[in-house]
Amino acid sequence: MKVEKKIFIFALLVTCILILIYKNNINTKDNEMTSKMAESTLTLNNFSDISMSLENLDNTIITVRINSSANDSVIFGEDYIIEAKNGQKWYTLPINKDIMFTSIGYELIKGTSFLWSTDYDILYGKLSPGKYRMIKSFRVEPPQGTPKDYFVSVEFTV
């Protein structure tokens, strides 16, 4: 199977999974965040060969640098999640209604980095002042073996 086809399939799969996971948190009123935030249950940053750092936050446009030191191919897409910190716990924010991610896939090889940007206002609207984190999912595909999914995050303040 060609790499491009694998990337496309992965991006499509992740998009479908995220829609299913978070469909109960979809906001029913345009650009309004409801109080129905679910406590985060994701295991983050559990793969030291992938890291993400904040490069820039300009109004609602966030830019991150994704680095890979993994020996195997690392694949990721346009999907992301934003969570808000309340006390010591993180809560997943509901997304705006009728929003989907494009099925674009990116591949990182060992020793490379990728500058990625998004306007979070499209999915989440204007965020209130506070502490947040962006979470992205990644898939590591060894040539021989089972692919594994990981989540990494970067924190930011509005």
Side-chain angles (χ1 to χ4, degrees), residues 43-50 148-152:
T43 301
L44 301 177
N45 303 324
N46 58 349
F47 185 61
S48 62
D49 290 341
I50 303 170
K148 284 190 86 175
D149 296 323
Y150 298 95
F151 298 94
V152 296

Side-chain angles (χ1 to χ4, degrees), residues 8 11 19 26 32 39 52 54 58 62 71 82 86 91-93 100 102-103 111 113 131 134-135 137 148:
F8 174 77
I19 290 169
I26 292 176
E32 270 184 38
E39 187 174 340
M52 189 165 62
L54 181 65
D58 184 15
I62 186 167
N71 289 324
I82 292 184
N86 187 355
Y91 295 87
T92 303
L93 297 178
M100 297 182 129
T102 56
S103 293
S113 67
K131 191 167 193 169
M134 172 182 280
I135 300 168
S137 62
K148 284 190 86 175

Side-chain angles (χ1 to χ4, degrees), residues 18 32 34 51 58 68 112 116-118 120 131-132 143:
L18 285 172
E32 270 184 38
T34 67
S51 64
D58 184 15
S68 174
T112 61
W116 181 82
S117 294
T118 191
Y120 65 73
K131 191 167 193 169
Y132 298 89

Side-chain angles (χ1 to χ4, degrees), residues 2 4 16 22 33 36 40 48 62 67-68 73 75 93 97-98 102 112 116-117 119-120 128 138 143 151-152:
K2 288 190 171 195
E4 294 85 11
C16 292
Y22 295 101
M33 295 296 163
K36 290 186 173 186
S40 180
S48 62
I62 186 167
N67 299 295
S68 174
S73 176
I75 298 171
L93 297 178
K97 185 178 179 182
D98 298 326
T102 56
T112 61
W116 181 82
S117 294
D119 185 348
Y120 65 73
S128 302
F138 297 86
F151 298 94
V152 296

Side-chain angles (χ1 to χ4, degrees), residues 12-71:
L12 185 61
L13 176 67
V14 169
T15 300
C16 292
I17 290 170
L18 285 172
I19 290 169
L20 290 174
I21 289 172
Y22 295 101
K23 78 176 190 178
N24 290 333
N25 290 333
I26 292 176
N27 196 348
T28 57
K29 294 182 182 175
D30 292 341
N31 296 324
E32 270 184 38
M33 295 296 163
T34 67
S35 60
K36 290 186 173 186
M37 293 190 298
E39 187 174 340
S40 180
T41 58
L42 292 175
T43 301
L44 301 177
N45 303 324
N46 58 349
F47 185 61
S48 62
D49 290 341
I50 303 170
S51 64
M52 189 165 62
S53 58
L54 181 65
E55 287 286 316
N56 191 34
L57 181 60
D58 184 15
N59 199 11
T60 60
I61 298 174
I62 186 167
T63 303
V64 297
R65 180 170 302 280
I66 302 163
N67 299 295
S68 174
S69 60
N71 289 324

